[in-house]
Amino acid sequence: MASQFYKKLIDNNTKWVQEKTLENPDFFKELSKGQQPPLLWIGCADSRVPPNQIVGTDPGEIFVHRNIANLVVHNDLNMLSVLEYAVNVLKVKHVIVCGHYGCGGVQAAMGDHSYGIIDNWLINIKDVYHNHKNELIKLEKEDERFDRLVELNVHEQVQNLAKTTIVQSAWKNKQDLKIHGWIFELETGKIKDLNIDMNTNKDLNKIFKFDL
Ligand code: CO
């Protein structure tokens, strides 16, 4: 039997369509014509971090890719396809990697418990921990290490974006494209900009720069 929650969904949709149409009678007509979002959002799959709601945008404004712990993994065909389409076809001007404090994926990566297949996905975060262990072990409290790893993980994923040929090609071709790292704070609803924007590959280590 369908739950009350499930039964409400279509009713909610009906109400939403009415509200949107009341605001702008042509809203859905315009929506159906096509999309030109200025932003690609790479976020965590966590249900508490819904991109459009937390930054107050409408349908058509954000192209979205979400996975556990907002990772940019270079052999993830799904992520690469989204990124390529967003950069080369939609010509987004911004890519935001948005992590969040209290991220279950990051927390799991800090421990030794095996959860199954996901362990292999989370190794990417264990690598981030390992690369920054000197900084992390100086933090006495587990909570502080957790918060810092959430930040370091976003930083790493922004770097990972910059290492792709997709992003480096766009920069080489003088495309207006900036990548950003943000953290969403569940306890306040506020976004913290880590101020790690990149719009060139000049700060990447030489080994990661392509001759495009
Ligand atoms: Co998360």
Side-chain angles (χ1 to χ4, degrees):
M1 206 171 95
S3 68
Q4 287 304 315
F5 174 79
Y6 177 80
K7 285 181 191 164
K8 262 188 0 194
L9 298 174
I10 303 290
D11 283 347
N12 289 349
N13 170 256
T14 306
K15 278 184 211 147
W16 177 73
V17 171
Q18 284 167 352
E19 281 166 18
K20 282 292 175 199
T21 310
L22 206 61
E23 279 171 28
N24 174 6
D26 293 328
F27 183 82
F28 292 102
K29 201 172 125 192
E30 286 164 15
L31 198 61
S32 69
K33 285 181 189 162
Q35 62 170 337
Q36 205 170 17
L39 164 64
L40 165 62
W41 177 282
I42 298 178
C44 184
D46 194 304
S47 62
R48 300 166 298 177
V49 196
N52 281 290
Q53 275 163 287
I54 65 177
V55 292
T57 50
D58 264 330
E61 294 187 295
I62 311 186
F63 203 59
V64 176
H65 178 76
R66 292 169 77 178
N67 59 41
I68 288 172
N70 40 271
L71 300 184
V72 175
V73 178
H74 290 120
N75 55 13
D76 176 359
L77 194 58
N78 185 353
M79 182 280 297
L80 291 173
S81 303
V82 169
L83 180 65
E84 187 187 63
Y85 190 76
V87 172
N88 293 347
V89 180
L90 299 174
K91 309 272 189 210
V92 296
K93 293 188 173 353
H94 304 273
V95 182
I96 296 170
V97 177
C98 187
H100 65 103
Y101 293 126
C103 183
V106 174
Q107 191 170 34
M110 287 176 75
D112 60 1
H113 184 72
S114 168
Y115 294 90
I117 289 281
I118 193 176
D119 300 339
N120 303 284
W121 180 251
L122 298 180
I123 285 173
N124 292 291
I125 308 174
K126 287 182 182 285
D127 285 340
V128 177
Y129 189 103
H130 184 70
N131 291 339
H132 297 274
K133 64 178 186 304
N134 293 338
E135 178 189 341
L136 289 164
I137 54 173
K138 281 184 197 143
L139 299 169
E140 287 176 17
K141 292 182 184 155
E142 173 104 8
D143 283 0
E144 288 173 347
R145 280 203 299 277
F146 184 13
D147 285 354
R148 186 62 188 140
L149 185 57
V150 164
E151 294 170 3
L152 290 168
N153 181 47
V154 167
H155 190 272
E156 186 80 12
Q157 307 319 317
V158 167
Q159 295 279 315
N160 283 348
L161 276 175
K163 290 172 189 172
T164 63
T165 53
I166 299 164
V167 168
Q168 288 190 42
S169 289
W171 285 338
K172 172 86 177 179
N173 297 328
K174 307 278 182 227
Q175 201 172 317
D176 180 14
L177 177 69
K178 203 173 221 181
I179 56 183
H180 316 259
W182 286 6
I183 307 280
F184 179 70
E185 192 174 66
L186 291 167
E187 287 172 5
T188 62
K190 290 186 177 168
I191 283 161
K192 179 165 150 187
D193 186 344
L194 294 178
N195 293 314
I196 50 171
D197 300 2
M198 293 179 82
N199 61 358
T200 159
N201 68 356
K202 74 174 165 46
D203 293 331
L204 278 184
N205 191 289
K206 189 172 178 291
I207 194 72
F208 295 115
K209 288 183 191 174
F210 290 102
D211 173 22
L212 290 156

